[in-house]
Amino acid sequence: MDALDGNAIGGLLIDVFGAEMTAATGTCGACGDTGPVAGLVVYLKAPGTVVRCRICGNVLMVFVKAHGMTCVDLTGMARLDQPGAA
Amino acid sequence: MERTAVRGRLTWQAATVTGLTPETAAVVTITLDPPDWPGHQAGQHLDVRLTAEDGYVAERSYSIASAPGEPLAITVERLEDGEVSPYLTEELRAGDQLELRGPIGGYFVWKPADASPLTLLAGGSGIVPLRAILRDRLRTGSDVPARLLYSARTLPDVIYRDELGQHHDGVAVSYTLTRAQPPGWAGHTGRIDASLLADAAWPATAKPLAYVCGPTSFVETAAAGLVGLGYPPDRVKTERFGATGGH
């Protein structure tokens, strides 16, 4: 299965966070790598959408849609900083 | 129509297909007229949603092919095992309605006010958002110099070939053909590598801004190559396409 990147989930991230997040900065909770969400590794066809760290492979975000709701797991992410957000 | 969209939300809307232009044997540009489009930036996407009669829904993200201010367009490559692209490239007709939402994306975007020289690297249909950047550059009268290196399998696979062949001051376009070359081909051959990048991209000393878009393997090689040439990683914007359609 081809891995994509965070650009591919720009719409999903707006659904969840209510804002553009591909340019947001994420920090991996395992290795500490920091970079734009657009650069993270994204698997769309896992059970749900799985986002991994490009350096260490740690699972950073999981999104599962069921019954009209999106369940979000962000436990692998140490920080998520939206540029310009107060 | 009353504007009911909540700021910060994306709303699905039914756009009218106003035109279909074949680009290659497998690629079509679809021009769209959405009822409520807030405008976009070069490099952004939109999401397309198809709903089958049985209620099955398939969504795909496509790069916007047109510059801001032009009629909205996407360019779609037909993937043989695709769920969405065969419909878009073969079944869709002018006058049909297509459900979409957008614009989407804030990372892989180019702003005309940016004065940095542009290094644009495209693999296959990764040319689409880079074409939007070049059209935006032209429309806004930007004079930033741009170098585009476009990797395609064969010459007939090159999307926007006529458009890219037109001379524009400050834009240099080069090609590498990876699978087959026509007789007398004077361009590059083979997959992108360090020596090709050193030849086709701005040197790091020009303080360029790079946009790299294509299949994952292309993007990894090209982005690592630019960093090897001295580009700071945050000056290399990347976007990876899958083989699963759109992005």
Side-chain angles (χ1 to χ4, degrees):
Chain A
M1 183 172 62
D2 267 11
L4 303 182
D5 66 26
N7 293 295
I9 55 168
L12 170 65
L13 294 172
I14 292 173
D15 286 341
V16 170
F17 293 100
E20 200 302 297
M21 294 297 286
T22 62
T25 300
T27 301
C28 175
C31 74
D33 183 61
T34 295
V37 168
L40 299 176
V41 182
V42 169
Y43 297 91
L44 290 180
K45 293 199 169 174
T49 297
V50 175
V51 181
R52 289 180 177 272
C53 174
R54 188 163 294 281
I55 302 301
C56 74
N58 178 45
V59 174
L60 302 177
M61 301 192 271
V62 180
F63 305 92
V64 179
K65 282 187 183 173
H67 307 297
M69 286 175 56
T70 301
C71 300
V72 183
D73 179 349
L74 301 175
T75 48
M77 193 85 117
R79 289 182 65 105
L80 186 58
D81 298 317
Q82 191 194 358
Chain B
M1 189 176 102
E2 190 179 352
R3 183 183 283 259
T4 53
V6 178
R7 187 172 160 78
R9 287 237 180 108
L10 281 173
T11 306
W12 290 99
Q13 54 183 313
T16 303
V17 175
T18 56
L20 296 142
T21 307
E23 302 283 357
T24 74
V27 176
V28 174
T29 292
I30 303 166
T31 314
L32 297 158
D33 181 19
D36 186 18
W37 188 251
H40 67 273
Q41 296 176 290
Q44 285 188 302
H45 316 158
L46 53 78
D47 285 350
V48 169
R49 177 165 78 179
L50 298 184
T51 305
E53 284 179 15
D54 65 1
Y56 177 76
V57 174
E59 282 180 32
R60 294 291 183 274
S61 185
Y62 290 100
S63 288
I64 297 170
S66 49
E70 295 181 322
L72 184 65
I74 57 175
T75 297
V76 179
E77 179 172 26
R78 185 184 68 240
L79 301 164
E80 295 306 332
D81 57 350
E83 287 182 334
V84 173
S85 65
Y87 174 80
L88 295 180
T89 55
E90 292 170 357
E91 307 292 329
L92 198 65
R93 297 288 178 266
D96 287 352
Q97 301 279 298
L98 189 64
E99 232 185 339
L100 60 78
R101 64 178 191 172
I104 295 166
Y107 165 78
F108 198 87
V109 295
W110 180 70
K111 296 179 173 70
D114 193 311
S116 309
L118 285 168
T119 290
L120 308 175
L121 305 179
S125 56
I127 187 65
V128 175
L130 307 186
R131 183 249 200 166
I133 291 173
L134 285 174
R135 291 179 76 100
D136 197 21
R137 175 192 174 279
L138 192 63
R139 279 177 63 87
T140 57
S142 163
D143 59 2
V144 298
R147 291 183 176 178
L148 167 67
L149 174 62
Y150 183 175
S151 173
R153 282 169 298 193
T154 69
L155 196 55
D157 289 316
V158 171
I159 306 168
Y160 315 130
R161 193 170 141 200
D162 290 346
E163 179 175 320
L164 295 174
Q166 291 168 14
H167 174 77
H168 294 296
D169 282 342
V171 180
V173 179
S174 57
Y175 299 94
T176 184
L177 300 179
T178 58
R179 187 168 296 175
Q181 301 81 32
W185 174 248
H188 303 286
T189 61
R191 292 181 182 276
I192 201 162
D193 60 17
S195 68
L196 180 49
L197 284 176
D199 187 48
W202 290 105
T205 50
K207 300 199 184 309
L209 181 59
Y211 292 82
V212 182
C213 189
T216 298
S217 59
F218 171 89
V219 170
E220 299 303 331
T221 304
L226 290 178
V227 172
L229 289 175
Y231 282 56
D234 66 356
R235 299 290 286 172
V236 180
K237 291 181 179 284
T238 52
E239 179 164 291
R240 296 160 182 85
F241 276 38
T244 51
H247 296 272

